[in-house]
Amino acid sequence: MRLGVLDVGSNTVHLLVVDAHPGARPLPAHSHKVELRLAQLLDADGAIGSEGIDRLIAVLKDALQAAEDKGVEDLLPFATSAVREAGNADDVLARVREATGVRLQVLSGAEEARLTFLAARRWFGWSAGKLLVLDIGGGSLEVAYGIDEEPDAAVSLPLGAGRLTAGWLPGDPPDPEHVRALRRHVRTEIARTVGEFTRFGAPDHVVATSKTFRQLARIAGAARSADGLYVQRELKRESLEAWVPRLAAMTTEERGELPGVSDGRATQLLAGALVAEAAMDLFGVERLEICPWALREGVILRRLDHMGSE
């Protein structure tokens, strides 16, 4: 059947259409993506304003039309941290449902981490052993660890690249004092959770998902996305540590000229790099591998599992 996943994230609204059936690998058929930056549309009270909701509804209507055009049989709509943490989340969901008919499922941070872990486990297989999975989104950082398809530990921290950029890094380029303050904040937040994972022992394989990690790996020398899904891509902590001060000294325009960095993501690349560097350092990771599958694929795989058991 043809499935559609409609992901209302902190940075983008992304419709991913796949051809899939239980027991088979989902095959991408179409991708429709709009950068909305919901995480940056919150007002002083932490609510998504009326204009932001109107923009979200308009983008969702376009995505629904794209899903219809592509013959999507089953649509799985969900939202992550930007909607989850909005002060008026119930109002946002109600207005979206009234205007579009879409009932957005709001995933908890732990659910995000678990579904992303499932996608990584299926991609790398059982031979990868104990997995540590890192995922930097626009609003949050997810960390999960385990040897099965359900992680033994999973946490979500409010350390998304978009959120941190908006709240901590004014200026272009940002003031060095602001960068140092954000670095301290990120490391303090991550350090509080490290013990939840290290008690299970060292992972056999460390992987990362998300656009932020893919772009950091690319500027550090990894293969282009055009080279295909099955090319191994990795990010070394040594390389990342060398790039962080360079990114901090660059303007947004200069970051946007780096290989693999889109104009829309250039603003928040430094914050993402600080989170990635802190996570790799505090978890003792020297290198990690980029996983092409992430949350959206996890949602699809969970749906296929349920179909297979019906």
Side-chain angles (χ1 to χ4, degrees):
M1 66 185 304
R2 180 156 280 196
L3 291 174
V5 175
L6 185 52
D7 174 4
V8 178
S10 297
N11 282 316
T12 61
V13 174
H14 189 170
L15 169 71
L16 176 64
V17 178
V18 300
D19 291 320
H21 64 270
R25 173 174 58 92
L27 296 174
H30 180 69
S31 177
H32 175 90
K33 187 187 306 184
V34 176
E35 288 199 355
L36 186 59
R37 301 189 179 281
L38 274 179
Q40 297 177 25
L41 296 177
L42 301 180
D43 61 23
D45 298 321
I48 299 174
S50 182
E51 181 182 348
I53 299 174
D54 289 342
R55 288 171 59 187
L56 172 60
I57 288 170
V59 169
L60 287 175
K61 286 181 176 179
D62 287 343
L64 289 173
Q65 184 62 55
E68 180 182 322
D69 292 345
K70 296 301 177 182
V72 168
E73 185 176 344
D74 190 5
L75 186 67
L76 310 173
F78 67 90
T80 56
S81 64
V83 173
R84 179 172 69 234
E85 296 167 15
N88 60 336
D90 290 342
D91 181 48
V92 173
L93 295 173
R95 284 192 55 188
V96 164
R97 185 167 60 248
E98 180 181 355
T100 68
V102 171
R103 292 179 178 270
L104 285 175
Q105 178 189 2
V106 180
L107 299 180
S108 70
E111 286 175 317
E112 279 193 62
R114 287 196 294 268
L115 288 165
T116 302
F117 184 88
L118 172 64
R121 169 59 73 197
R122 293 282 177 91
W123 180 269
F124 288 105
W126 298 113
S127 63
K130 292 178 286 188
L131 279 181
L132 175 65
V133 179
L134 306 172
D135 179 27
I136 301 172
S140 58
L141 162 70
E142 275 72 49
V143 185
Y145 173 101
I147 196 167
D148 297 316
E149 292 199 335
E150 274 289 320
D152 296 310
V155 299
S156 178
L157 301 174
L159 298 176
R163 176 202 297 266
L164 295 178
T165 300
W168 292 80
L169 296 178
D172 189 22
D175 186 286
E177 283 300 320
H178 291 153
V179 175
R180 279 193 288 271
L182 176 56
R183 184 179 186 275
R184 286 193 298 269
H185 169 69
V186 166
R187 286 173 177 261
T188 299
E189 289 292 312
I190 294 175
R192 290 175 181 157
T193 71
V194 170
E196 296 181 37
F197 296 88
T198 54
R199 64 191 179 93
F200 292 105
D204 298 309
H205 201 60
V206 182
V207 303
T209 71
S210 77
K211 186 83 166 184
T212 294
F213 270 114
R214 289 199 300 273
Q215 291 185 339
L216 292 171
R218 178 73 183 96
I219 66 174
R224 304 169 304 160
S225 58
D227 292 335
L229 285 180
Y230 300 103
V231 176
Q232 183 176 344
R233 297 170 175 87
E234 67 174 23
L235 176 62
K236 296 179 181 178
R237 175 152 55 109
E238 180 182 20
S239 299
L240 181 58
E241 288 173 344
W243 267 102
V244 167
R246 296 174 63 184
L247 292 172
M250 290 179 176
T251 64
T252 297
E253 183 178 359
E254 289 169 336
R255 288 186 217 123
E257 294 172 354
L258 294 171
V261 178
S262 63
D263 291 340
R265 298 293 183 120
T267 304
Q268 60 191 48
L269 187 61
L270 172 60
L274 289 168
V275 174
E277 179 192 35
M280 293 181 75
D281 185 11
L282 292 167
F283 282 102
V285 176
E286 294 300 326
R287 67 174 65 197
L288 54 77
E289 189 172 351
I290 305 300
C291 179
W293 281 3
L295 176 60
R296 286 180 288 275
E297 286 78 12
V299 170
I300 292 168
L301 292 167
R302 180 62 52 81
R303 176 74 178 100
L304 293 174
D305 288 349
H306 289 163
M307 287 172 55
S309 62
E310 290 174 355

